[in-house]
Amino acid sequence: MAVAALAFAGAPAGAAGTDLLQWARGLPERFALSGSKVEPTYVSAIDISRDGDVVSILGGAPAWAERSRETVAIDAGGAMRHVVCPSGMTCDSPPTPAGFLSTAALISKSRTGALHASIEAEPYGRFSVLCVPAEMLGISRPILDPCFEITTGAAIAQKNRFSNRFDGPSLDPVTLTFAIDTATKSPKEQAP
């Protein structure tokens, strides 16, 4: 597997009006990122990865506490299921990933052909992101829309609909480090 660190300082801003379905279907099948999320009383380390049909997050705890992992698999038809369920959470029904796991929902919806929108990229620190209306990803009555880093599709930020700011749970763009598999891309399927 050819893994290359991405240099995002000069990352392209993306074309205005990016076709969401075409973009999502062309994302790399593998990436890993690490970053920090600032909580009111501590900083938590967050690791997010995609390995083909599996998206995983590890984090959500201060340095002195055990971090938790949640992992979701997406089949070829877009159905999702938990592979790893965090302790204290019930994972009997199909997941509706939100927040940093929104990449799983993005992959799922792209496989069902349900991403019919054109979205303009916007800056988030030194990155470019596409902020997708959460309803398109299966979230009911959302306040926050997930924002995906344009090169990998990783959900790194959330934008508040009322303030129009990145003030939901978001990773500090200064702390983010990425790696992607440059040898493998998702298949570019035709819309059904």
Side-chain angles (χ1 to χ4, degrees):
M1 171 164 60
V3 177
L6 296 177
F8 288 101
T18 299
D19 179 286
L20 194 56
L21 182 60
Q22 182 180 5
W23 168 77
R25 287 183 170 172
L27 291 171
E29 289 190 357
R30 288 169 180 73
F31 71 79
L33 75 85
S34 294
S36 296
K37 179 177 76 158
V38 178
E39 297 289 346
T41 58
Y42 64 90
V43 175
S44 60
I46 304 290
D47 298 313
I48 305 168
S49 64
R50 176 180 180 191
D51 187 7
D53 297 335
V54 179
V55 178
S56 185
I57 179 171
L58 173 65
W64 63 87
E66 183 179 352
R67 297 167 75 199
S68 94
R69 179 179 301 278
E70 185 175 0
T71 303
V72 174
I74 310 100
D75 72 17
M80 294 182 281
R81 66 178 172 80
H82 273 101
V83 176
V84 176
C85 186
S87 61
M89 188 171 143
T90 304
C91 296
D92 297 335
S93 58
T96 306
F100 298 126
L101 263 181
S102 294
T103 300
L106 181 75
I107 296 165
S108 171
K109 295 299 182 182
S110 75
R111 290 180 179 177
T112 64
L115 297 174
H116 301 290
S118 181
I119 296 178
E120 189 172 331
E122 55 187 290
Y124 178 67
R126 66 186 193 274
F127 301 96
S128 291
V129 294
L130 293 175
C131 296
V132 176
E135 296 91 347
M136 291 183 73
L137 303 177
I139 307 298
S140 300
R141 299 177 305 196
I143 295 173
L144 301 171
D145 292 319
C147 299
F148 301 93
E149 192 277 321
I150 201 163
T151 307
T152 61
I156 62 172
Q158 295 189 62
K159 196 165 190 182
N160 187 303
R161 289 184 171 189
F162 300 110
S163 68
N164 201 32
R165 296 183 337 192
F166 297 105
D167 60 3
S170 299
L171 297 176
D172 179 355
V174 173
T175 66
L176 287 173
T177 59
F178 281 83
I180 64 167
D181 180 347
T182 57
T184 310
K185 288 273 194 181
S186 296
K188 295 184 176 28
E189 304 165 341
Q190 296 298 317

